[in-house]
Amino acid sequence: MAEKIGCFVCTGCTIGEAMDCDKLVAVAGEMQAAVVEQHPALCQPEGVEMLRRAIAEHELDAVVVAACSARVHGDTFDFEDVYTERASLREGVAWTQPAGEEDTQMLAEDVVRMGIGRCRFAARPTGTPAPVQDRVLVIGGGVTGLSAALAAAAAGKQVDLVEREQQLGGFANKLHKIFPRDAEVAAYPGPDVDSLLARVAEHDNITVHLGATVTRISGAPGAFEVTVGGDGGEQSLASDAVVVAAGWQPYDAAKIEHLGYGRGPDVITNVEFEQLAKQGKIARPSDGKVPESVLFVQCAGSRDPQHLPYCSNLCCPATLKHITYLKEQSPETVCYVLYKDIRAPGHYEQIFEQVQRQGAIFVKADVERVEPQQAGGASVSAQDLLLGEPLQVEVDLVVLAIGMVPVTLDSDVLNLTYRQGPELPEREGGFPNSHFICFPYETQRTAIYAAGAVRTPMDLATCVDDGTGAAAKALQAIEFMRQGAACHPRVGDLSLPDFHLQRCTQCKRCTEECPFGALDEDAKGTPQPNPTRCRRCGVCMGACPERIVSFENYSVQMISEGIKSIFVPDEFEEKPRVLAFACENDAMAALDMAAMNGLQLNPYVRVIPVRCLGSFNIIWVADALSRGIDGIMLMGCRFGDDYQCHFIKGSELANTRLKNVGDTLDRLMLESERLRLEQVAINDWRRLPQMFDDFLARLDELGPNPYKE
Amino acid sequence: MTAKHSSVLVVGGGMSGITAAVEAAELGREVYLVERAPSLGGRVSAMKSYFPKLCPPACGLEINYQRIRKNPRIQVFTSTRVTAISGEPGDLQVELVSEPSYVKESCTDPITPFQQLPAELSDDFNYGLSKKRPAGLVHPHAFPSRPVVDPRALEDEKLRSLLQGVEQVDLEQQPQKFTLQVGAVVWATGWVPYDASRIDYLGYSEFADVVSNVEFERLAAPDGPTGGKLLRPSDGKECRRVAFIQCAGSRDVNHLPYCSAVCCLASLKQATYVREAYSDSQVWIFYIDIRANKYEAFYQHLQEDANIHFVKGKVGLVEGTSDGSLHLLAENIAAGGIESVDVDLVVLATGMVPSTRLEPVPCQQVQTDEYGFVVSDPAATGIVATGCAKRPADVATCVQDATAAALLATLR
C-alpha cells in the first residue's frame, strides 16, 4: 500500500505539444498525489535528479512516471525502496492521438488517474530468498548427462548423477564410431566417452549412482528431496535443480510388420548393425557370411503416422556412416538405400557425397515388403518412385533405419509428488512441452530442464552442447532462488503471490490452472504454494473467484482501483469508454510499435497492461461494467497447438473465463458482445487501429452500457 | 584455475549472441555485448515468422530485450566492431571501435525529429526493397531504441545539409576506439545469405521478380516494404503463382558444398505466406530432398494442400515472358519429363555463409574450416564460437548452442 505517491509528468518527446500538461498536474493533485511535478525531459540526468530529490524530500513510497512506455527506461526510473508505476503519455497518447483535441486530453488525464489509482495498492517487492544447497541432480549417465554433470561440477556445484544401467556412457557405449563433428569429415573419431568418463570419475563434486533410478522427488526447487532406488536399496538425496537426460530407445521394429523384423535373422535394425560393426566384423546373423549386398530401409517406422510421425534426424547420417563401414570392410559390397528424402544437414552433406562416390545406390522408393529368406538374406519389394515401376531385390542383409523414442514416452523418470502429476508435461511424441524455438530448455516445471534425446532427437556432438546448456539453466535457477527471484520468462522478478487462505473456498481452480505446477493441495483442497516453483505469471490470481491471490506489485485490487479511477462521461456526451487489457510482452509492444509508426488509435480506449491474460480476473468485468464502461477487449497471445503465450495457456484460460462470464451477462440482458478477446502478436501493430474501431462500431450498434450514469 | 578476468565479451547481437549474453549475465558474469549494426536482433529481426509455429521473432526478442534491460550486468555496444584479440584464456585483451550515431546523447525522441527528412536511401533492413530516411530508428522494434544517422547520408551533399538542419544531429562525432579486458569471448557473428547473383542461370541479376528467400521474408512481413502484401517487385502485381527453388547454390561444389539445414523449412514456411495471402494461389517447390528434419508434421501438413506442388528436380532455366511473368523449365524426376510453369515470382532458397568466411575472427589462434566455420577448441583460445559461426543451424539450435557457449565462457 503506497501512502505517499508522487506524480511526475514529462513534457518532452511531443507530450507537451499534444496535451495540456498543467491540467494533468491538476488532475494528479485531485487524485491526492503528495507531490506533482512537470519536467521537459524526465529521463535526462536533471529529470532523474528532480525525481530523486522529490522522493527524498517527501518520503515518497511510490512514484507515477507519466512519460514514455514502460518498455523503455525501466532502469532510468528504478529507485531503491520506491514503487514505480509507468503511465504512458508518449506512446499511449501523444504519438497515437491528434494534438490538442478534447478526447486526447481526456485520454491523457485517464492515463494519469489510472497510474495513480493502481499505485495506491502497490508496493515494491523485496524478494524472499530461498536457502539453496548448490546441488544438482542429473538423471541419465549418457553423453548428455555426463556433459551436464561435468559442467555443473566445474561451476562448483555438488552433482548426483543417477544412471539406471550398471555403467555410465549410455548409448555411446554401443557405437563403433561417432558422427564426424563439424568439419572433420574424412576421419570418424571413436566416441570419446572414455575421456568424459574419466573426467567424471575424477571429479570430487560428482557422485555417481549406478543401477539406480529416481523413484520419488518431493518438495520444490532449492529443496528437492530425492529418493533414489536401486540394487543397494533406497537412498535420500537433496537437490536444488534437476537435469533430465534419460536418453532414448530405438523404436520397436517388430511393430512395423511389413518390414519383416523378427521373421528372419538377416533383417536387423541400425542399432544392431552398429553393434555388429563394433564387434569387429560385419557378418550376417544367419550364417556368419560377410554380406555381398546390403539394403538399408530409411524411415523404417519414421515419418509415418502409424508409428513415429516425426523424423529422428540421425537415421540418414547413420546409414551413410554404415555404408562407409561396409565399404571399408569390402569395397565390393553392394549397398542399396531406399529412402523418402536423404536428410544430411550441414556438413553431413559431405558424407552423403562421399558415399555416393563410393558407389552406393540410392532409390527414392516406397518399401512394400521385406521377406526374410529360408537360405538367409531377404527379398525386398518396393515401388521405385522415380522410375514409377516396381523394384525387387534379393540381398544378404537388410538394415532397418529405425527412429528414436524418448525414454520419457513410456517410463516415469522424475516421479514428482506434484499435484499436477509426476512428469514434465509433454507434447506429441513424449517430448517436453516448451517454447522450443526461442527458449528450448524451458519446461513447465521450474528448475527441471530436459536435455539430449529426451528433448528432441540429436547427434552426440549436439548432446554435449545440450547437456552443458541445460546445466547452465540449472545453475541460473539456483542463483535466482538464492535471490528470491523468478526464472524465465519474468527473470529477476522479486514479487511473489500471497494467498489469503482464510477466504479460500477450495475450488481448486488455481491448483489446476497453474501452468508450472507450483501449487499443491492439502486433503481439503486448499492450495499449498511452493514459492520456488512459481514463475509469477498471475494465472492463480486470475483464476481465483474469491480474489485471495495478490502480488505486492500486482493484484486484483490494484487493477480494480485503476479501473475505478477512469472518468466515465455520461451517455449524453456520446463518448464511449472501452478497456483494453493487454499482455505486457506482446500486445503492449504491438501498441508501442503502432505508436512509433504514427498510427492513430481510437481515443475512447483505455489500455491496462497485464502480466499475462491468464491473470485476468473476471471481477474486472463487473468493476468496469458497473462503472459504465461500454466494452472490454482482451489482447493476448495466440493460443492452440502453436500457442505463443509465454505462460503456456494464459490467453486460452482468459478466453474460457470470458465465455463463462459472457453467459452470465446474457442472462442479465447485458450483451456478451461487450467482451471481446483478440489474439495479437507484436507484428500485428498495423491491425490495431481497425481492431479498436471495429469493436467501437459494434458497441455503437449495441448502444451505451445501460449501467452508465 | 583462477583467471585474471571473469567477464565475457559476446560478439554479434543476433539470436545466438543475445542468448549467450543474457545467459552468461544470468550466470552472474559481467557481459559486454557487441553488435556491428545500430541495433540488436540480427537476421531473425528481419523475418516475418519462425517455422513451424509461424510466430513472429519479435515475441522472443522482446523477452530477451527485457532480460537485457533489467540486467545491470550487461553492457550493449552497438555500431561497434572488434578489431583485434590478443592474450590467453582468462586474460584476453580486445580492441574495439564504435562508429558514431551522429545523434546527440540528449535526443530522447527517436522518431519525431527525423520525420521531415526524405526517404531516399536504400533500406538495408529491407534488403534494398524500399527507401529509408537518412536518420532515425533502423526499424520500429530496434533495440536499443536509439536513433542513428546512416553514414551513407554523409556522402550525399543534400542529405548532409538537411541533417545539419536537425537540432538533434551532431555530424562532428568521431569513432571511438577502446579496449576491454575479458576472460572469454563468445563469437556469434552469424551468417550472410549466399550471393544469389553468382548462380547465373537462375536469373537473380536479370529479373526483379527473382528474389532470395531473405528478401521474400521482407516482402511478406507486415512491417516490410509492401506492408505484408505479396506484390511482385517489378510491377506491384499480386504474387499468386510462386516458385521456390531449393538448394539454390547449396549442395553444389561450385557454390556451397554443404547443406544449410534451414532452407527447406524456410521455403515451406514461405509457401504458407503465399497460400494465406491469396486463396487461389499456386506454389511450386523444386527440390532435391525435402529436409524438414525437426518439423516433419509441418511438411506433412503442407503436402495435404493441393495448391502446393512438390517437384523433385532441378530448375534449368528462368526466362521472362511477354506478359511480365517468369517462365521456368525444370526436370521432374518423379513424374518424368519436363515441368514448364509460368509464375509471378521466383524465390531462391539460398544458403548460409558464415560471416567468419568474409571476416575472420581477428585472432591468429582461431581456425576455420574450408567453408569459414570456426573449428578451434575454445579451451585453447578462450574464444567460444557459437550459432552459425560454427555450423548452419536453425534458431532453436542456435539458442541451445549459445546457452552452452555462455556456460563454457564462464567456466574458468
Side-chain angles (χ1 to χ4, degrees):
Chain A
M1 295 284 279
E3 310 268 327
K4 296 189 87 178
I5 301 168
C7 181
F8 301 86
V9 178
C10 184
T11 59
C13 293
T14 70
I15 295 172
E17 292 101 79
M19 62 201 78
D20 183 342
C21 290
D22 292 337
K23 271 199 190 160
L24 296 185
V25 169
V27 163
E30 286 161 22
M31 294 288 290
Q32 267 123 47
V35 51
V36 191
E37 306 257 19
Q38 287 186 63
H39 194 275
L42 266 185
C43 62
Q44 293 301 291
E46 317 83 70
V48 175
E49 192 42 44
M50 180 193 82
L51 264 159
R52 285 195 184 284
R53 261 201 320 272
I55 289 168
E57 195 175 314
H58 300 274
E59 295 175 336
L60 301 178
D61 42 23
V63 292
V64 176
V65 176
C68 40
S69 155
R71 290 177 57 257
V72 292
H73 286 304
D75 48 347
T76 314
F77 299 123
D78 184 22
F79 306 103
E80 223 170 294
D81 301 330
V82 175
Y83 172 77
T84 303
E85 179 71 43
R86 303 288 295 275
S88 175
L89 290 179
R90 188 176 75 166
E91 288 83 348
V93 186
W95 287 359
T96 44
Q97 303 299 331
E101 302 271 316
E102 184 189 25
D103 285 332
T104 303
Q105 185 66 25
M106 290 179 97
L107 172 59
E109 290 174 11
D110 274 346
V111 165
V112 169
R113 285 191 195 99
M114 288 192 289
I116 296 175
R118 280 201 296 271
C119 245
R120 293 222 168 94
F121 292 94
R124 188 185 170 96
T126 48
T128 313
V132 288
Q133 306 156 79
D134 288 307
R135 299 190 68 96
V136 177
L137 170 70
V138 177
I139 301 175
V143 166
T144 309
L146 293 170
S147 306
L150 279 170
K157 307 296 169 201
Q158 293 294 324
V159 178
D160 284 295
L161 178 58
V162 177
E163 166 58 50
R164 69 177 168 179
E165 302 290 332
Q166 292 298 338
Q167 69 179 102
L168 295 175
F171 188 73
N173 289 333
K174 297 182 181 163
L175 291 178
H176 176 41
K177 294 177 178 180
I178 67 163
F179 294 147
R181 180 150 193 197
D182 302 332
E184 293 168 350
V185 168
Y188 292 179
D192 201 7
V193 185
D194 292 343
S195 146
L196 277 176
L197 291 172
R199 285 161 60 209
V200 166
E202 70 198 22
H203 212 298
D204 293 339
N205 291 2
I206 304 176
T207 310
V208 177
H209 307 265
L210 291 176
T213 53
V214 171
T215 56
R216 186 171 189 268
I217 300 179
S218 61
F224 281 129
E225 292 162 36
V226 182
T227 310
V228 172
D231 307 341
E234 284 207 336
Q235 195 183 347
S236 259
L237 307 170
S239 145
D240 297 329
V242 182
V243 174
V244 187
W248 61 281
Q249 57 208 17
Y251 185 71
D252 180 2
K255 286 185 181 167
I256 323 156
E257 225 169 279
H258 68 289
L259 296 184
Y261 185 81
R263 293 207 303 271
D266 295 337
V267 179
I268 63 174
T269 68
N270 46 2
V271 175
E272 289 159 348
F273 182 89
E274 187 79 33
Q275 280 166 307
L276 284 181
K278 192 178 170 72
Q279 284 156 19
K281 187 175 133 194
I282 303 164
R284 68 180 192 183
S286 61
D287 56 6
K289 178 190 165 199
V290 170
E292 287 165 25
S293 56
V294 180
L295 183 141
F296 293 86
V297 179
Q298 295 310 107
C299 299
S302 293
R303 302 174 63 186
D304 179 345
Q306 304 286 312
H307 298 282
L308 295 183
Y310 54 88
C311 158
S312 283
N313 235 330
L314 299 179
C315 327
C316 281
T319 291
L320 300 175
K321 180 180 72 165
H322 290 166
I323 293 171
T324 67
Y325 295 173
L326 287 165
K327 293 289 183 182
E328 212 170 83
Q329 178 169 291
S330 163
E332 307 305 314
T333 317
V334 179
C335 300
Y336 301 94
V337 182
L338 304 190
Y339 70 94
K340 292 182 188 169
D341 295 279
I342 293 293
R343 291 182 170 173
H347 291 76
Y348 286 130
E349 180 65 21
Q350 287 175 299
I351 312 174
F352 183 28
E353 216 241 325
Q354 178 187 328
V355 166
Q356 282 174 295
R357 268 189 278 117
Q358 287 172 333
I361 302 156
F362 289 84
V363 185
K364 187 173 167 83
D366 264 345
V367 179
E368 281 155 357
R369 196 155 184 87
V370 176
E371 205 49 61
Q373 302 295 300
Q374 280 285 308
S379 156
V380 179
S381 37
Q383 191 67 25
D384 183 327
L385 294 175
L386 299 185
L387 296 177
E389 54 193 41
L391 172 81
Q392 181 80 34
V393 219
E394 316 289 324
V395 288
D396 288 339
L397 187 66
V398 170
V399 182
L400 306 181
I402 49 169
M404 301 162 76
V405 181
V407 164
T408 43
L409 180 68
D410 30 49
S411 324
D412 285 348
V413 295
L414 286 165
N415 294 300
L416 299 165
T417 59
Y418 286 26
R419 179 240 183 271
Q420 287 187 7
E423 299 297 314
L424 298 174
E426 290 170 358
R427 59 193 166 96
E428 203 188 32
F431 303 104
N433 190 18
S434 76
H435 283 273
F436 54 82
I437 302 172
C438 294
F439 306 104
Y441 291 107
E442 292 305 327
T443 69
Q444 276 181 260
R445 296 294 175 260
T446 306
I448 302 178
Y449 300 98
V454 291
R455 210 162 67 62
T456 189
M458 60 181 76
D459 64 11
L460 279 181
T462 313
C463 283
V464 173
D465 292 338
D466 211 45
T468 310
K473 300 307 292 179
L475 299 178
Q476 290 170 351
I478 296 173
E479 286 321 300
F480 287 127
M481 283 184 254
R482 207 192 303 279
Q483 299 157 26
C487 299
H488 179 90
R490 295 185 61 83
V491 171
D493 185 350
L494 293 171
S495 69
L496 264 184
D498 176 59
F499 292 75
H500 189 69
L501 291 176
Q502 289 91 322
R503 293 211 326 265
C504 174
T505 58
Q506 286 91 25
C507 75
K508 302 186 184 179
R509 285 190 192 131
C510 59
T511 60
E512 276 165 21
E513 289 184 3
C514 173
F516 305 105
L519 303 165
D520 291 330
E521 276 167 21
D522 69 7
K524 282 194 328 201
T526 312
Q528 296 182 305
N530 292 278
T532 56
R533 295 187 203 164
C534 175
R535 309 268 188 100
R536 284 75 164 172
C537 57
V539 163
C540 50
M541 174 180 132
C544 183
E546 298 300 316
R547 306 181 296 285
I548 67 164
V549 187
S550 18
F551 298 79
E552 300 97 309
N553 56 357
Y554 186 59
S555 64
V556 174
Q557 201 175 15
M558 224 180 117
I559 302 292
S560 291
E561 195 62 23
I563 296 169
K564 288 172 191 160
S565 311
I566 295 169
F567 171 73
V568 183
D570 67 32
E571 68 175 288
F572 305 107
E573 282 195 55
E574 296 188 347
K575 289 184 186 298
R577 287 292 178 259
V578 167
L579 295 186
F581 291 87
C583 154
E584 251 177 40
N585 189 68
D586 291 66
M588 283 309 293
L591 284 161
D592 278 4
M593 294 300 109
M596 293 168 88
N597 282 283
L599 300 187
Q600 264 194 35
L601 294 176
N602 192 293
Y604 302 135
V605 179
R606 305 291 180 259
V607 176
I608 298 175
V610 288
R611 285 190 180 182
C612 169
L613 275 197
S615 67
F616 180 84
N617 193 297
I618 53 168
I619 190 71
W620 297 333
V621 173
D623 286 339
L625 295 180
S626 66
R627 294 265 308 150
I629 301 282
D630 299 280
I632 298 171
M633 180 181 281
L634 270 58
M635 302 166 77
C637 303
R638 187 169 68 192
F639 52 84
D641 286 345
D642 287 330
Y643 69 89
Q644 285 173 32
C645 173
H646 288 276
F647 300 109
I648 320 293
K649 279 190 169 186
S651 44
E652 194 172 348
L653 289 168
N655 196 42
T656 311
R657 289 176 204 152
L658 215 54
K659 275 211 184 97
N660 294 341
V661 74
D663 295 344
T664 316
L665 290 189
D666 284 333
R667 280 198 299 278
L668 295 169
M669 307 297 283
L670 196 58
E671 307 82 355
S672 56
E673 281 174 273
R674 292 185 185 277
L675 311 178
R676 184 178 283 194
L677 186 139
E678 293 279 1
Q679 300 180 45
V680 179
I682 296 181
N683 63 354
D684 283 333
W685 51 265
R686 247 180 234 275
R687 280 174 48 213
L688 297 179
Q690 195 64 46
M691 194 184 286
F692 284 170
D693 288 348
D694 286 349
F695 190 36
L696 266 295
R698 181 67 194 127
L699 291 172
D700 190 47
E701 288 165 13
L702 295 175
N705 173 354
Y707 290 96
K708 214 184 268 283
E709 282 183 13
Chain B
M1 180 167 63
T2 47
K4 204 164 163 193
H5 301 286
S6 64
S7 55
V8 175
L9 170 72
V10 178
V11 185
M15 197 60 179
S16 297
I18 289 171
T19 302
V22 289
E23 298 296 345
E26 288 171 16
L27 283 162
R29 296 309 159 112
E30 297 297 318
V31 175
Y32 307 103
L33 174 57
V34 169
E35 164 59 44
R36 183 167 41 184
S39 71
L40 302 182
R43 295 276 160 204
V44 298
S45 62
M47 287 177 184
K48 171 179 154 78
S49 58
Y50 286 142
F51 56 76
K53 286 176 113 175
L54 303 177
C55 50
C59 169
L61 285 172
E62 179 74 11
I63 289 223
N64 281 321
Y65 294 159
Q66 294 296 351
R67 286 163 86 188
I68 293 174
R69 282 185 189 111
K70 287 176 182 158
N71 198 324
R73 291 199 181 92
I74 307 177
Q75 270 192 68
V76 177
F77 299 95
T78 45
S79 303
T80 300
R81 285 179 302 124
V82 172
T83 54
I85 304 176
S86 57
E88 51 193 63
D91 186 14
L92 293 166
Q93 186 160 325
V94 185
E95 308 293 334
L96 303 101
V97 58
S98 287
E99 297 303 326
S101 69
Y102 302 108
V103 175
K104 289 175 188 163
E105 195 73 1
S106 59
C107 172
T108 57
D109 184 342
I111 309 279
T112 328
F114 313 104
Q115 252 163 349
Q116 300 311 317
L117 296 167
E120 287 179 0
L121 291 172
S122 142
D123 188 349
D124 294 340
F125 185 70
N126 284 330
Y127 295 97
L129 293 164
S130 66
K131 301 286 184 197
K132 61 176 274 201
R133 296 192 178 96
L137 289 177
V138 183
H139 60 98
H141 198 240
F143 176 84
S145 183
R146 276 201 302 266
V148 291
V149 169
D150 190 314
R152 289 174 300 173
L154 306 181
E155 313 297 320
D156 181 303
E157 212 167 302
K158 182 186 112 192
L159 291 177
R160 198 184 166 92
S161 83
L162 282 173
L163 283 166
Q164 274 160 340
V166 178
E167 193 200 324
Q168 286 80 357
V169 168
D170 171 12
L171 296 183
E172 301 308 309
Q173 290 179 0
Q174 295 300 316
Q176 302 287 324
K177 285 186 180 172
F178 61 107
T179 305
L180 293 171
Q181 311 277 348
V182 297
V185 173
V186 176
W187 201 265
T189 49
W191 57 283
V192 292
Y194 185 70
D195 179 2
S197 64
R198 299 171 76 160
I199 323 157
D200 44 13
Y201 66 97
L202 294 179
Y204 179 79
S205 305
E206 200 177 337
F207 304 107
D209 298 335
V210 178
V211 299
S212 71
N213 45 5
V214 288
E215 290 163 351
F216 186 67
E217 203 65 26
R218 293 311 299 153
L219 287 179
D223 61 345
T226 55
K229 291 198 177 68
L230 288 185
L231 307 176
R232 61 188 197 190
S234 64
D235 58 4
K237 183 175 173 280
E238 293 174 343
C239 301
R240 289 174 184 269
R241 301 163 302 167
V242 179
F244 292 88
I245 301 180
Q246 297 310 110
C247 298
S250 293
R251 302 177 64 184
D252 181 339
V253 283
N254 297 314
H255 299 282
L256 299 179
Y258 53 87
C259 158
S260 284
V262 298
C263 327
C264 280
L265 280 158
S267 291
L268 295 177
K269 170 186 76 172
Q270 294 181 338
T272 69
Y273 302 166
V274 182
R275 293 294 297 118
E276 257 166 43
Y278 310 109
S279 61
D280 62 346
S281 56
Q282 301 275 332
V283 172
W284 288 264
I285 298 180
F286 296 93
Y287 70 96
I288 310 176
D289 297 285
I290 294 289
R291 293 185 168 169
N293 296 38
K294 268 186 182 169
Y295 305 121
E296 178 66 19
F298 185 58
Y299 174 36
Q300 293 198 353
H301 175 64
L302 262 64
Q303 283 176 295
E304 288 163 16
D305 185 340
N307 285 17
I308 302 181
H309 315 286
F310 289 92
V311 183
K312 185 172 166 83
K314 281 214 142 194
V315 172
L317 178 74
V318 177
E319 58 184 9
T321 67
S322 52
D323 69 347
S325 306
L326 292 165
H327 180 66
L328 260 70
L329 279 183
E331 55 175 346
N332 185 335
I333 303 178
I338 299 291
E339 193 87 15
S340 164
V341 291
D342 283 348
V343 294
D344 299 310
L345 192 78
V346 171
V347 181
L348 305 183
T350 50
M352 298 170 145
V353 177
S355 300
T356 41
R357 172 159 161 189
L358 310 174
E359 249 182 279
V361 182
C363 173
Q364 282 192 332
Q365 284 78 36
V366 175
Q367 307 296 317
T368 55
D369 68 9
E370 56 189 304
Y371 311 130
F373 294 103
V374 177
V375 292
S376 325
D377 177 11
T381 58
I383 298 172
V384 192
T386 191
C388 296
K390 204 163 109 179
R391 52 155 164 28
D394 66 348
V395 171
T397 309
C398 287
V399 172
Q400 161 194 25
D401 190 42
T403 307
L407 183 57
L408 293 180
T410 59
L411 286 184
R412 53 188 76 255

